[in-house]
């Protein structure tokens, strides 16, 4: 039976899976996480976005999303949350398109904006919770409050380092720190061919993180990083 898309509103007891007391979240059970769908359908039209589920399970490479864009132009589907990640966005052409979003586990507000303005200041949103019962996502949450970071660490057209993203990141940070007294590990979902995350770990604590992108000729570039002070 096909599930009719519904906007996330105050649904009372009917939405106890995610909402309690008309707006407060409750944690899904292990069974609910395990049996949640691993595909989120988002419908964008001229009104508020519609989701076919409020609980969705991540796959090995991230959150899989199918967008049904019922407008006549491309839309930007934005995923934002009050957590230490994102926001993430995808551009969906008219009709139906499939996407993968590297959104970590957590609760995300989803909105559909026109790619070309005008952009509504208070666009309606729908809410979905991403769960990861299989443990695909490796957290990049830092063990400190104050950080320093750089965005666009490499100039446009620069050549990256050969090897894996972890090896490329190690070469990059050796130029800054010399001998490394921490480990560099793959982070995030770890199977994105266009961008990947690594984290810097010492004694089990995450002290830094970096984002790498392919340079187009077989290497990896560190395009941003953040570290504990």
């Amino acid at each position: 039976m096909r599930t009719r898309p519904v906007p996330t509103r105050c649904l009372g007891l009917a939405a106890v899976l995610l909402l309690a007391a008309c707006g407060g979240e409750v944690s899904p059970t292990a069974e609910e996480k395990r049996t949640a769908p691993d595909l989120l359908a988002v419908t964008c039209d001229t009104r508020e976005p519609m989701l076919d589920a409020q609980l969705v399970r991540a796959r090995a490479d991230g959150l899989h999303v199918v967008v049904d864009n019922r407008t006549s132009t491309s839309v930007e589907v934005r995923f934002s949350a009050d957590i230490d990640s994102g926001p993430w966005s995808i551009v969906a052409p008219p009709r139906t398109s499939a996407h993968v979003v590297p959104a970590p586990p957590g609760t995300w507000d989803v909105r559909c904006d026109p790619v070309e303005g005008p952009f509504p200041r208070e666009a309606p949103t729908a809410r979905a919770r991403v769960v990861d019962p299989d443990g695909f996502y490796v957290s990049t949450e830092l063990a400190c409050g104050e950080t320093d970071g750089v965005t666009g660490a490499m100039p446009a057209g620069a050549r990256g380092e050969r090897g894996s993203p972890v090896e490329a990141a190690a070469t990059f940070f050796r130029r800054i720190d010399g001998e490394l007294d921490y480990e560099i590990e793959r982070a995030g979902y770890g199977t994105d061919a266009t961008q990947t995350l690594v984290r810097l770990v010492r004694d089990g604590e995450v002290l830094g993180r970096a984002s790498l992108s392919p340079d187009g000729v077989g290497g990896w570039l560190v395009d941003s990083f953040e570290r504990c002070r």
Side-chain angles (χ1 to χ4, degrees):
M1 181 177 69
R2 183 180 177 185
T3 302
R4 180 179 179 272
V6 294
T8 302
R9 298 193 182 97
C10 186
L11 299 179
L13 294 177
V16 70
L17 179 64
L18 284 178
L19 304 174
C22 229
E25 286 189 325
V26 295
S27 298
T29 66
E31 178 67 12
E32 289 167 341
K33 292 180 180 180
R34 187 183 66 81
T35 59
D38 63 355
L39 180 68
L40 178 66
V42 180
T43 300
C44 297
D45 55 22
T46 57
R47 299 164 297 178
E48 60 189 305
M50 311 284 278
L51 309 181
D52 73 335
Q54 279 76 54
L55 188 69
V56 61
R57 176 166 44 92
R59 299 188 194 179
D61 54 350
L63 171 63
H64 281 240
V65 179
V66 171
V67 179
D68 180 8
N69 178 5
R70 299 182 180 179
T71 72
S72 59
T73 61
S74 294
V75 297
E76 182 181 21
V77 183
R78 295 177 56 85
F79 294 78
S80 59
D82 188 20
I83 61 175
D84 196 16
S85 181
W88 308 99
S89 65
I90 52 180
V91 175
R95 300 187 178 178
T96 303
S97 56
H99 309 267
V100 179
V101 182
T107 301
W108 294 85
D109 289 327
V110 184
R111 59 184 281 177
C112 302
D113 288 335
V115 171
E116 298 181 357
F119 302 102
R121 178 175 297 180
E122 297 293 337
T125 63
R127 180 164 290 184
R129 182 165 183 168
V130 179
V131 294
D132 180 29
D134 298 301
F136 293 128
Y137 186 80
V138 178
S139 176
T140 60
E141 183 177 358
L142 300 180
C144 59
E146 296 185 356
T147 64
D148 292 316
V150 174
T151 300
M154 290 291 184
R159 294 289 182 93
E161 303 293 339
R162 296 281 180 168
S164 70
V166 169
E167 292 168 337
T171 300
F172 175 86
F173 284 109
R174 285 193 192 99
R175 294 196 184 104
I176 300 174
D177 298 332
E179 190 67 26
L180 304 183
D181 63 349
Y182 48 81
E183 300 292 328
I184 298 180
E185 302 174 349
R186 191 76 177 259
Y189 288 103
T191 57
D192 188 349
T194 60
Q195 186 181 51
T196 193
L197 300 174
V198 297
R199 63 183 192 174
L200 285 53
V201 181
R202 182 193 299 128
D203 299 329
E205 292 189 335
V206 181
L207 303 179
R209 56 194 173 198
S211 171
L212 296 92
S213 299
D215 64 3
V217 291
W220 288 92
L221 288 165
V222 175
D223 48 37
S224 65
F225 69 88
E226 184 180 14
R227 304 199 292 180
C228 294
R229 292 182 178 176

